Amino acid sequence: MINLSKYNFHWREGFSYGYDVKRGLFEELVKYADAKPVVGVVGLRRTGKTVLLKQLIDYLVENKVKRERILYFSFDEAGASLEKVISEYQARLGVELAKAGNGGKLYIFLDEVQKLEGWQEQLKYYYDSFPDLKFFISGSSSLFLKQKAEESLAGRIFLFHLPVLSFREFLVLKGEGELAEKPELFKELLKEQVLLYVRRQFPELVNADEGFIHLYADSIVNKAVYEDLLKIFPIEYEDLLKRILYIVASNPGMITDYESLANDLGISRITLTKYISYLERGFLLQKCYNFSRNLLTSEKKTKRLYLTSPSLVVDLWEEPEFGRVVENLVVSSSGAKFFWRSGKDEVDCVLVRNGEILPIECKYRSSIRKRDLKGLLKFLTAFELSHGYVISEDIESEEIIEDKKISIIPLWKWLLNF
């Protein structure tokens, strides 16, 4: 028998999980609380997926859903199957699933679902057979959820990615949300907070001391590499995943020549390509392509690699030039897919939003010269664009150079928009 009581404290009258500060994704998920499709939340470990599910449970209770009609279960518990969980729930509730709709929907929250072998087929059966069941699921692995969900649950699931904390979310969790609401009043404080934020992009790190940050970040990497990815992929060289991650951490934004890097690591190019893909799908690495208006052509060109969060490998954080860490932060926070390089001219980050091309150059310094903008101006000319952006340390201005508008924005101000 499965002990459901230890997971479902909300069955007790008056109980609330009490997580008052909500991530931005919460409001998006609420929109689908009563829609038929499964709501799935994926993301790196420790980004707050479990808290998000429990906040949704509190939301349902506050909106008059009977407490006993909400089930939460985590598949961290070994040996459990979905059938056993639901059978035990039926027995406790005293209602057959076929008749469950008489009292409204039953809301079923399944945490760490990727640990359940064949979860997608089991979920599909209950989804198709019992229309009054509403499922919410979470998992730590992108591929394990997305690929199998798309194959078996096509048209039955809405998937959402929960990233690391945005700068604004960091400030709110830290109790400094007022800084974000009145940024012009608190410029100096916001600049200071950015330096803390780089190392504390996970909820449990917001107020942590330096020693804890190192241990915590290392535990996330080790669990993702040696547990999550090993369960999913046919990995022959276990330590190689971490070696690749550390190479990127020591040189974020590195131009990646797969052939040379594979030779340095003593493996084949094919193996390296696979392992980088595994790290990318495990939410540890982010890949950028050399921009072309033909986006398919872009994917065949030179690639750059970044950490999905600079907080992941903080023991190497001070090794690279801090400007490179800022570049990583701008790329990862904006979800950029492109950079640009032509000869010796470069642009760090190219965003494509609703058909608009936004080139961004990272110059985290207190003075910026025209020659620092050479690559950005060349890009604007080459692609017949009129507006480019520069991320600075604390300069804020707009300039017209060679008939091009250049907006220079402090890093803290840029991050408040993502």
Side-chain angles (χ1 to χ4, degrees):
M1 186 174 71
I2 297 172
N3 184 0
L4 295 182
S5 297
K6 72 177 183 179
Y7 291 104
N8 291 275
F9 297 108
H10 59 270
W11 289 348
R12 302 173 186 176
E13 203 61 42
F15 178 86
S16 170
Y17 289 105
Y19 297 110
D20 295 327
V21 180
K22 296 178 174 62
R23 301 286 308 271
L25 185 57
F26 175 82
E27 294 299 332
E28 187 67 19
L29 298 185
V30 162
K31 296 176 186 177
Y32 304 100
D34 286 312
K36 174 59 176 170
V38 177
V39 170
V41 182
V42 296
L44 188 62
R45 282 176 175 266
R46 315 308 297 170
T47 51
K49 296 183 297 298
T50 298
V51 168
L52 188 56
L53 294 187
K54 291 183 176 180
Q55 287 175 328
L56 288 169
I57 291 173
D58 280 346
Y59 168 83
L60 292 173
V61 171
E62 289 164 8
N63 283 272
K64 311 304 181 186
V65 175
K66 292 182 179 179
R67 293 173 177 272
E68 65 271 16
R69 298 188 72 83
I70 305 169
L71 171 69
Y72 171 86
F73 186 79
S74 173
F75 286 98
D76 275 330
E77 183 165 320
S81 68
L82 186 53
E83 182 180 6
K84 287 181 181 179
V85 170
I86 289 182
S87 293
E88 177 63 22
Y89 181 47
Q90 282 187 102
R92 288 175 182 247
L93 197 61
V95 175
E96 295 180 20
L97 292 186
K99 300 177 182 178
N102 295 334
K105 290 182 182 292
L106 291 179
Y107 297 86
I108 300 179
F109 290 78
L110 306 175
D111 208 356
E112 297 295 342
V113 73
Q114 82 279 356
K115 296 181 179 179
L116 173 63
E117 184 69 29
W119 67 268
Q120 64 278 8
E121 288 83 9
Q122 295 181 51
L123 187 58
K124 181 176 180 290
Y125 165 75
Y126 285 100
Y127 179 96
D128 290 343
S129 303
F130 304 101
D132 294 309
L133 300 186
K134 170 65 181 183
F135 287 96
F136 299 82
I137 65 174
S138 83
S140 298
S141 168
S142 172
L143 181 79
F144 201 58
L145 272 175
K146 287 189 175 181
Q147 186 183 67
K148 295 191 175 184
E150 288 170 0
E151 289 172 359
S152 298
L153 296 171
R156 299 175 175 87
I157 187 167
F158 293 156
L159 278 172
F160 299 86
H161 175 224
L162 184 65
V164 294
L165 294 174
S166 69
F167 183 43
R168 188 178 292 272
E169 289 173 330
F170 165 81
L171 291 171
V172 171
L173 279 173
K174 200 169 186 288
E176 301 283 3
E178 184 181 5
L179 304 187
E181 298 306 318
K182 302 176 182 178
E184 296 304 323
L185 288 178
F186 300 112
K187 295 179 182 180
E188 295 80 8
L189 290 175
L190 285 164
K191 181 180 173 183
E192 292 174 8
Q193 292 297 328
V194 164
L195 299 179
L196 297 174
Y197 167 65
V198 173
R199 304 176 75 103
R200 296 169 169 82
Q201 291 187 291
F202 293 86
E204 290 168 302
L205 293 183
V206 168
N207 294 302
D209 59 39
E210 291 295 315
F212 181 76
I213 290 174
H214 282 264
L215 293 172
Y216 188 91
D218 204 41
S219 72
I220 290 176
V221 170
N222 286 335
K223 285 184 177 293
V225 167
Y226 296 119
E227 292 184 27
D228 296 342
L229 296 181
L230 281 178
K231 290 176 182 177
I232 303 166
F233 302 108
I235 294 170
E236 183 178 357
Y237 310 106
E238 296 181 11
D239 292 335
L240 183 58
L241 290 167
K242 197 168 181 180
R243 285 181 65 193
I244 294 169
L245 194 66
Y246 272 56
I247 288 170
V248 176
S250 64
N251 189 17
M254 61 187 287
I255 296 290
T256 308
D257 178 347
Y258 281 17
E259 198 68 49
S260 297
L261 183 55
N263 288 336
D264 291 343
L265 292 169
I267 57 174
S268 71
R269 187 183 187 282
I270 293 174
T271 298
L272 177 63
T273 301
K274 287 180 180 178
Y275 279 38
I276 288 175
S277 174
Y278 300 161
L279 289 167
E280 189 180 8
R281 291 176 172 180
F283 298 114
L284 295 166
L285 286 187
Q286 181 173 335
K287 190 186 297 175
C288 285
Y289 300 94
N290 198 0
F291 179 80
S292 166
R293 283 194 184 274
N294 183 335
L295 300 185
L296 291 176
T297 301
S298 293
E299 294 197 9
K300 298 176 182 177
K301 292 187 174 184
T302 311
K303 302 172 184 65
R304 279 183 170 169
L305 297 175
Y306 295 91
L307 301 177
T308 51
S309 165
S311 302
L312 283 172
V313 193
V314 292
D315 52 334
L316 294 179
W317 186 79
E318 294 179 7
E319 204 168 293
E321 175 195 351
F322 186 62
R324 301 299 295 276
V325 177
V326 169
E327 180 185 326
N328 196 141
L329 185 61
V330 170
V331 169
S332 57
S333 63
S334 64
K337 299 296 182 186
F338 304 102
F339 67 98
W340 181 72
R341 190 182 197 195
S342 179
K344 294 183 179 180
D345 297 313
E346 296 185 3
V347 173
D348 295 325
C349 177
V350 180
L351 298 182
V352 181
R353 297 283 172 87
N354 300 318
E356 185 180 5
I357 301 169
L358 306 176
I360 303 153
E361 185 67 11
C362 300
K363 299 294 180 187
Y364 192 76
R365 56 186 72 156
S366 56
S367 64
I368 297 172
R369 300 158 295 185
K370 181 179 177 181
R371 69 183 184 184
D372 295 326
L373 309 178
K374 180 170 173 271
L376 181 59
L377 292 168
K378 286 252 181 131
F379 180 89
L380 293 172
T381 299
F383 291 93
E384 300 179 337
L385 302 173
S386 60
H387 195 180
Y389 298 83
V390 178
I391 308 301
S392 71
E393 182 177 354
D394 47 23
I395 303 171
E396 184 170 7
S397 67
E398 285 193 351
E399 301 182 22
I400 303 297
I401 304 175
E402 299 175 10
D403 295 324
K404 307 296 183 184
K405 181 180 177 182
I406 306 297
S407 296
I408 303 176
I409 305 171
L411 177 62
W412 61 263
K413 192 164 193 175
W414 173 266
L415 289 172
L416 285 177
N417 292 314
F418 289 94

